[in-house]
Every structure is written in C-alpha cells, then in structure tokens.
C-alpha cells in the first residue's frame, strides 16, 4: 500500500481518512478496503523515510489533523516504482512443490492434490463472480482488476489440467 | 422428505449408472466413457471439466440421447431413458431436455425468433407464452434486435447465444451444454454468465461441459473426467458471505 498512497499524495496533499476514501473509490470492491490504522502506520513509515511530510492543520472545535505532502524524495521513489517492471508469473509455486514432492515423501496422492486444488480455484472463481456482480458496473478499474484475477485463475486451471495429464 | 430428496434413480433430474461408451470405428475400439456413475439432482448446476478427449462430449451427448450408450443406464426425471428408441428420445428431449452444442444447429430457414420459440411451442406452450419467453431470453442475451434476422446473418457468438436461448425456451427439466461459451468474446460471455446464473437461481438444473473457469465458477459442483472416468466429483465451496455488498476483495482472495 506504500507506493499507491504515495502516488495519491503526489496528486494532492491529503489526510489519512481522505486517502482511505480515495482508495475505496478508485478500486471499489475489487481491492481490500484499507483499514485506517494501516494507513496511519504506513504514512508514519513514509514520513520516517523522508518520502512524505506531515503538517498539523488546526481545526475549529476538533483535534488537529495531519495533512501529508509528497516530498522530492517521494517523487523520486515514485519514478523508480513506475519504471521498474512489476513481478511476473510465479515460478515458485507452493502447490507445485507439494505436487512434485508428494510421491517422494508419501504425504499425499497426486490426483487428490490436483483435484483439491482445482476445486479451490473454482471456489475462488465463484467468489470473484459474486464480487463482480456486486461491483458497480461503472467502476471500470475494479472490473478490470477482477477480470485480471479471473484470467489468472483460468491459466492456473489450464495448467492443473496439464499436470493431471502428465503426472497422474 | 420431499420427493426430490429421496434416494434412487426415481427422483434425480438426470442420472447415469455405470455408463459405458465404446466407439467401434474401423480399427481399435475407443473406450470413450468407462463406467460413469453420475446423479444430478433437481436444481443443481454441475460443471464438467477435463482434458480434451476425456469423454466429456460423449457423456453429455449420451445423457441427452444424441449418442447411443454401449452399456449402463440413463434415467431422466425418474424414467428409464437408455432403452428408448429414437422417437422416444425425441419426445423426451422435447419435453424435458434443453441442449446447447459446441456447434449450434440452428434452423437456417427460420428467423432467430422462430428458432427460439419452436421448442417451447413443440413442448406445449401457448404462442403468447412462447413469445414472452423468447423476448425475455433474447433480451437478456443482448439479441433483442436480432429477432427477425436469419441465423446466417449472425456472427458465431450471436448464433451460440441464440442456441442457448432456444435450449432454455421451454424451461427444460435439465439443460445439457457442451462448451457453450467457446465462441464468445468476454462481453458476450458476461451476458451468458448473467443469464445462466439467473436461470439457475430460478431453479434450472444445468449440466455443463466447459473449459471456461468463469462459467464453471457459477456451478455448485464440479465433476472432472480423465480417460473416460470420473476422477473427482464434489461441491465447489459457495462464495463467502459479505457483511456489506461489495466489501469483497480480490487480493485477499488469493491469500
Ligand atoms: N464418433 C466417434 N468415433 C470414434 N471415436 C470418437 C468419436 N467421438 C469421440 N471419439 C473419441 O472418444 C474419446 C472421447 O471424445 P470426446 O467425448 O469428444 O472427448 P472430450 O469432449 O472430452 O474432448 C476421444 O478419444 C475421441 O477421439
Ligand atoms: Mg468435447
């Protein structure tokens, strides 16, 4: 959440609660609703690293609120984030470790492992279908995120089928 | 206990008992389906998955009487069906079974509307009811404006959706489908998914061969075939309950 928060602050200074609302609005139900405590902790760390600066703003008959700004160092960190490639497909797949090691150690039957994993993926898919149904049709970012997760699952399922054909 | 919950072949929507199919074409026999036991209760949505050549199409074709069995039993709505002759199957299909194929088999010289209404009329619906049902189905599938077109004027994806509408026209006891979303782009697939979810919630029994995980994600139960045999058969866990609608999250789902 560190860099997304920083990116929002590069757009305009904001306090913690505004950031929480902005994240919810942009990503909708497709992204975990961030908890306000996590946001404050993250902002504290960003401030300690010099990437943001917090300024107390007085409020009439309320406690002061802290508004955060993105610093020059923060901008640099964002540039670096934008330029670095994001993580690609997983090669270290925990399920695959189980699958390969199972017959050597006798911990599980491969067919049973594959079948269980397939149903697990479909349960996730079923959940995603529901999330998609409940997501505002106009929130395109959220729908794209859900579609991406679905396509990943499709690939995972296709790959399971390959494992079953080859290994079972 | 309600009749639907009683055990035995008498009450399943469709059931296969030790079903076997051996193709004898020229050279070596092909053991396409090797002793399948499958009971589908009313209202269930069963997805059938498995690698190419594992016998999925053969199985659902046999369940719909489109392919003869080598041995074993088929029961549809409590009646023995594998012993029926061609015309017996034709009547049973008309009354109880909707079928969507990988290829669509629409009647070329009839309009889209007539293609969809025909099974309902053959199944005994009044013309008014058949028309209303057709309007509803084509509307849900984004095809309302194609009602007067002929099948040849439609794209593959459109024809496939018409085939689905036709299969659902007379609210069949069971919908059998063989890869019904194979020709659809993702927007059309979304319409099809929505309709399938909706008719399933209305109680439609569905048995569907699919490679599409989004389609399988609508099902309550997954059956996996490998080499003509069922190697897995079980429930798909239902979606998690969410306190407020939309409070879900993709990222934690992957956890
Ligand atoms: N009409 C047929 N004649 C001979 N063999 C067939 C025929 N139809 C299917 N098969 C064979 O039966 C097996 C199962 O095929 P099918 O049911 O189409 O599998 P799936 O739908 O899972 O891809 C395959 O080996 C296939 O080649
Ligand atoms: Mg097939």
């Amino acid at each position: 959440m560190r860099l997304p928060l920083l990116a929002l602050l590069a757009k305009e200074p904001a306090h913690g609660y505004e950031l929480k609302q902005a994240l919810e609005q942009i990503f909708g139900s497709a992204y975990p609703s961030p908890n306000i405590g996590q946001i404050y902790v993250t902002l504290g760390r960003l401030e300690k690293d010099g990437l943001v600066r917090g300024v107390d703003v007085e409020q009439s008959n309320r406690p002061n609120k802290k508004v955060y700004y993105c610093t020059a160092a923060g901008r640099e960190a964002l540039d670096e984030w934008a330029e670095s490639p994001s993580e690609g497909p997983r090669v270290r797949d925990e399920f695959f470790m189980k699958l390969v090691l199972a017959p050597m150690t006798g911990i599980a039957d491969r067919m049973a492992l594959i079948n269980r994993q397939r149903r697990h993926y479909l349960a996730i898919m079923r959940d995603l279908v529901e999330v998609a149904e409940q997501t505002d049709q106009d929130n395109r970012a959220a729908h794209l995120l859900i579609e991406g997760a679905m396509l990943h699952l499709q690939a995972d399922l296709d790959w399971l089928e390959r494992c079953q054909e080859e290994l079972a | 206990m309600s009749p639907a919950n009683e055990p035995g072949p008498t009450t399943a929507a469709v059931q296969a008992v030790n079903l076997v199919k051996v193709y004898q074409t020229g050279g070596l026999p092909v053991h396409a389906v090797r002793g399948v036991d499958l009971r589908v209760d009313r209202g269930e949505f069963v997805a059938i998955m498995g690698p190419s050549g594992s016998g999925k199409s053969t199985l659902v074709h046999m369940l719909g009487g489109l392919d003869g069995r080598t041995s074993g039993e088929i029961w549809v709505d409590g009646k023995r069906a594998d012993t029926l002759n061609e015309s017996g199957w034709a009547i049973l299909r008309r009354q109880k079974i909707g079928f969507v194929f990988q290829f669509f088999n629409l009647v070329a010289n009839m309009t889209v509307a007539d293609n969809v209404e025909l099974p309902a009329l053959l199944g005994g619906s009044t013309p008014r009811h058949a028309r209303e049902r057709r309007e509803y189905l084509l509307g849900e599938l984004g095809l309302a404006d194609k009602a007067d077109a002929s099948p040849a004027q439609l794209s593959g994806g459109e024809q496939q959706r018409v085939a689905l509408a036709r299969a659902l026209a007379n609210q069949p006891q069971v919908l059998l489908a063989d890869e019904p979303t194979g020709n659809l782009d993702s927007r059309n697939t979304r319409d099809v998914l929505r309709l399938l979810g909706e008719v399933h919630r209305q109680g439609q029994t569905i048995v569907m061969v699919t490679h599409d995980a989004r389609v399988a994600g609508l099902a309550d139960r997954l059956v996996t075939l490998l080499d003509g045999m069922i190697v897995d058969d079980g429930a798909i866990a239902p979606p998690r309950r969410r306190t407020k609608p939309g409070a879900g999250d993709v990222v934690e789902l992957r956890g």
Side-chain angles (χ1 to χ4, degrees):
Chain A
M1 198 171 47
R2 213 173 129 84
L3 286 146
L5 281 186
L6 195 56
L8 288 175
L9 290 176
K11 182 172 147 266
E12 62 192 345
H15 57 85
Y17 192 69
E18 285 170 336
L19 291 169
K20 176 178 157 66
Q21 286 179 314
L23 282 175
E24 281 171 355
Q25 206 219 327
I26 294 167
F27 294 107
S29 56
Y31 201 80
S33 182
N35 119 5
I36 190 71
Q38 263 173 294
I39 288 184
Y40 282 121
V41 169
T42 308
L43 287 171
R45 292 200 184 125
L46 286 168
E47 188 167 26
K48 203 169 114 247
D49 295 341
L51 304 183
V52 304
R53 195 158 56 85
V55 177
D56 277 324
V57 174
E58 271 183 45
Q59 296 200 105
S60 53
N61 63 41
R62 289 252 219 100
N64 291 355
K65 68 178 178 183
K66 209 165 185 184
V67 171
Y68 290 87
Y69 298 78
C70 181
T71 64
R75 277 233 75 109
E76 260 173 53
L78 273 178
D79 288 344
E80 201 178 303
W81 183 48
E83 282 162 22
S84 60
S86 298
E87 201 188 324
R90 298 160 301 166
V91 178
R92 274 177 298 167
D93 186 294
E94 195 196 345
F95 169 73
F96 197 64
M97 296 294 143
K98 284 186 206 166
L99 191 64
V100 171
L101 295 175
M104 296 177 200
T105 54
I107 50 172
D109 172 56
R110 271 180 171 170
M111 193 73 109
L113 273 177
I114 291 171
N115 289 337
R116 198 178 312 129
Q117 190 70 10
R118 183 188 285 108
R119 278 201 245 160
H120 175 65
Y121 285 152
L122 282 178
I124 297 173
M125 183 60 89
R126 203 169 168 182
D127 233 348
L128 286 173
V129 168
E130 178 146 306
V131 174
E133 266 173 23
Q134 292 176 351
T135 297
D136 184 356
Q137 285 307 309
D138 297 328
N139 190 339
R140 294 169 65 187
H143 278 284
L144 278 173
L145 191 54
I146 293 167
E147 197 175 331
M150 287 176 162
L151 288 168
H152 280 290
L153 270 179
Q154 179 75 59
D156 287 333
L157 280 160
D158 291 348
W159 179 72
L160 268 189
E161 196 172 284
R162 290 286 306 125
C163 291
Q164 195 151 34
E165 280 179 293
E166 294 277 326
L167 300 176
Chain B
M1 194 150 70
S2 72
N5 292 328
E6 279 169 30
T10 47
T11 52
V14 60
Q15 180 163 13
V17 181
N18 198 16
L19 196 59
V20 171
K21 176 72 182 185
V22 183
Y23 288 107
Q24 286 286 3
T25 40
L28 291 169
V30 178
H31 296 261
V33 171
R34 304 193 291 164
V36 161
D37 289 304
L38 178 68
R39 178 196 162 95
V40 179
D41 284 318
R42 291 192 189 122
E44 268 193 298
F45 188 156
V46 179
I48 299 181
M49 300 185 99
S52 176
S54 57
K56 306 180 297 293
S57 294
T58 304
L59 174 61
V60 291
H61 280 77
M62 284 195 288
L63 293 180
L66 299 161
D67 218 343
R69 81 198 186 311
T70 303
S71 63
E73 297 170 14
I74 298 166
W75 296 74
V76 177
D77 196 22
K79 301 220 172 51
R80 184 85 183 256
D82 55 276
T83 48
L84 294 172
N85 59 17
E86 293 251 331
S87 63
W89 266 113
I91 293 166
L92 184 65
R93 273 197 299 273
R94 201 147 74 204
Q95 292 171 341
K96 312 239 157 156
I97 300 172
F99 209 110
V100 200
F101 307 86
Q102 230 155 340
F103 309 100
F104 337 109
N105 303 64
L106 299 174
V107 182
N109 58 5
M110 286 189 344
T111 64
V112 164
D114 288 343
N115 263 282
V116 176
E117 287 181 33
L118 184 65
L121 294 169
L122 291 175
S125 286
T126 63
R128 177 159 160 252
H129 189 250
R131 178 168 44 79
E132 284 169 0
R133 180 80 180 153
R134 179 261 294 174
E135 284 168 353
Y136 163 73
L137 291 167
L138 290 182
E140 287 294 307
L141 292 168
L143 291 168
D145 57 335
K146 302 286 183 190
D148 299 322
S150 80
Q153 294 170 310
L154 305 182
S155 71
E158 286 166 343
Q159 290 187 44
Q160 196 155 42
R161 279 176 286 154
V162 174
L164 176 62
R166 180 187 55 181
L168 288 168
N170 58 353
Q171 294 170 279
Q173 179 72 228
V174 58
L175 174 70
L176 300 173
D178 191 5
E179 312 236 13
T181 53
N183 292 274
L184 301 176
D185 64 27
S186 50
R187 225 199 78 228
N188 295 331
T189 300
R190 216 187 300 156
D191 288 340
V192 169
L193 290 176
R194 193 160 30 84
L195 179 64
L196 288 174
E198 196 167 303
V199 294
H200 176 45
R201 277 191 291 275
Q202 292 163 6
Q204 177 68 55
T205 309
I206 303 173
V207 178
M208 182 165 297
V209 174
T210 186
H211 265 105
D212 191 320
R214 292 166 301 174
V215 180
L218 292 170
D220 317 302
R221 175 174 158 202
L222 173 67
V223 167
T224 305
L225 284 186
L226 192 67
D227 287 336
M229 290 187 290
I230 292 181
V231 294
D232 189 39
D233 180 352
I236 301 171
R240 293 181 302 171
R241 296 233 168 278
R242 297 197 163 74
T243 40
K244 77 176 155 126
D249 52 86
V250 171
V251 174
E252 282 180 10
L253 285 175
R254 297 246 36 175

